[in-house]
Amino acid sequence: MSDSATDDAAAADGPLDEVGATLRHIRDLVAESGSVWAQGDASVSEDAAEVGRWRRKLRPVRQAVLAVLETMAATLTASAAPGEHSSGRLDYDRLRERSDLVLEWVDSLLEEATGDAEERRRRQQQVVVRERDLWRERQPAAPGGQRRAVPSQWQNNLLPKPQTAWMVDNAPRPAGDDAFAERIRAAVQAPLPLPPPAANIAATPTGSGQHPPREQDTPFVLVETPAQLEQFFAHVRGDGRAPEQRPREIAVDLESHAHRSFQGFTCLLQASTRERDFVIDAIALRKELAGPESEFVRLLNDPSVLKVFHGADSDVLWLQRDFGPEARVCNCFDTGQAARVLNEPSLSLTHLLETRCHLRENDDGKVEADAGVAAPALDKRLFQTADWRIRPLPDSMLQYARRDTHYLLFIYDRLREELEARSAVDATDWLRVVRERSATVACQVYAVEPVSADGHVALAVRQRWRLSPEEMRVLAALFQWRDAVARAEDESPAYVMPNRIMYRLTRDMPRDEVSVVRVLNAMRVSSGGTPLELAGKRAADIAAAIAGALPPTEGESADGERTARVEHTDAAQLDGAAAAPTTEAGTASATANAAVPLTRIGSMFGRRRHLHANVDETAAASRKRVIESQGDASALDSKRARVTPGDTAI
Ligand code: AMP
Ligand code: MN
Ligand code: ZN
């Protein structure tokens, strides 16, 4: 029996007349909703990425509406068939579940649409503010004036993910053999270059000691193209100079992004020689920088060039993560390790800038006290959590990034003198100690985080959550779900599901999709800007993960059998029903509105089985509401098996 025949029969029969007409109407609406933007609405089409995003968001809503239709169609056709009254009875419970879900969804999308609009406005304002602040930065900065002008990585969720430009594999990958350890350790033996002549420091010694090179006296190069990168390497190689003029030390730092990526990725590489500062766009030039043959990796490997870092612990791992396992730092000097050996009261770069470079902070910013030259205020915390993916980079961020390496060779010189002075007193080679410790840092080998069997325990301990054994099982399931989704979607676990939402779900234990969506919506306000988009889309998986961690109730088992039987009926009915509406919708649309793609509704019905499985999971998970008291638990288990965390990885 074809679906159009059913519709016609219903129309003729009377009792189902209205329902049939409504069905057809809704179905056409769904079909049209898929092509709203294809028809070029001027008010939204200006931003193609935005349109694509909303189209993706609306897809599951359309699927859910179709699921409601399918249930109706199946139960209606079943009730029309003779002798099938028991199974054909309109399943109001399931219908209500499904339409509830659709409403929740539409609700949250509307909420988000409003939120997005606000976010966009805010960002536009931000750009304006930022430009004004940059100008102000060149003047004496107003106290606290531009602090908020730097976009935070936690809030910048609308930015397209730049890592789509390269392959990301988040499968756990243990650290390989440390083939470089010997070379890294051997580099400690190599003599360090002689301290640079004072003339190279670009400032005259005064009574209080030497001054660091001033930023405004140092050429600054932003490296964004392969040609500019080649100029950077030419400078570092000392092309066109006498060999002894070649830079022997180079200060290096990295800015990385973590929130919208599973492993994180390097956004900027900063490098300073004694003459120039470079900021390299590591996103744009990732391909050129990466690989065992790249000049950048060879520079890192080259023990004849000392690489000075401040706090290299993360940097040496990030280099391997992004530029290949060969991107190892041979001949590393970590000023953080030097500060440690010198028992500095603070190991921060800020402290070294203040004490070794005579930069001090006042209300207006950092001031090069002795030289009396103002350097603008750059709030370290603000920039450390900034979104380093954004392009073009605002001047304030560029300036901050540049400053992270600009003074570093000067600091190295000072710390080295101090280490040598100390060695003269107590006969320990402190410089050697620092170089060895730096080599140990550089010997760390990068691994892609393994899937942790007890990560949830660590989380609960860290967060001081007091959980029952049952809650711990739920948390474990949520933790595994989150890890799998984060890897598959290349997002941080914190973005997929912030901890406080894990906690809420662990405590509330919603076992069906609608209840999960409800919890997410309730938490949206307090999610601190994280849109919970992924969790919202996968509410059914979350519900299944929670239900799977809990013992089935008696009602559940009984309903499991019932659901399986109804599902079978649905499928059988819809197999016949699917082809016809496609054709009919296509024909109708072709007449009424040529812009409705003929394939769309067909493909939606084509995904019916997958859809069906999802929706049925909702029903299965909410079985506890339902009746009867005996049944087949294994049918349930096989349902759950479809929604294991691994499955959520699309
Ligand atoms: P830094 O070595 O201080 O320039 O920091 C390098 C990178 O570490 C930054 O780009 C951030 O990705 C990360 N980072 C440093 N401090 C923080 C922080 N407090 N919170 C989050 N990320 C940080
Ligand atoms: Mn750093
Ligand atoms: Zn930095």
Side-chain angles (χ1 to χ4, degrees), residues 201-203 212-220 275 277 373 402 406:
I201 302 178
R214 303 194 310 173
E215 290 173 40
Q216 58 268 48
D217 296 336
T218 309
F220 167 65
E275 292 150 87
D277 297 326
V373 176
R402 171 197 188 179
H406 173 79

Side-chain angles (χ1 to χ4, degrees), residues 82 103 176 295 314 317 384 404 426 649:
L103 291 178
E295 183 148 7
S314 303
L317 295 173
Q384 277 178 324
D404 263 354
D426 66 9

Side-chain angles (χ1 to χ4, degrees), residues 227-238:
Q228 290 164 337
L229 186 62
E230 174 47 32
Q231 284 166 15
F232 163 73
F233 288 127
H235 171 75
V236 171
R237 284 191 306 259

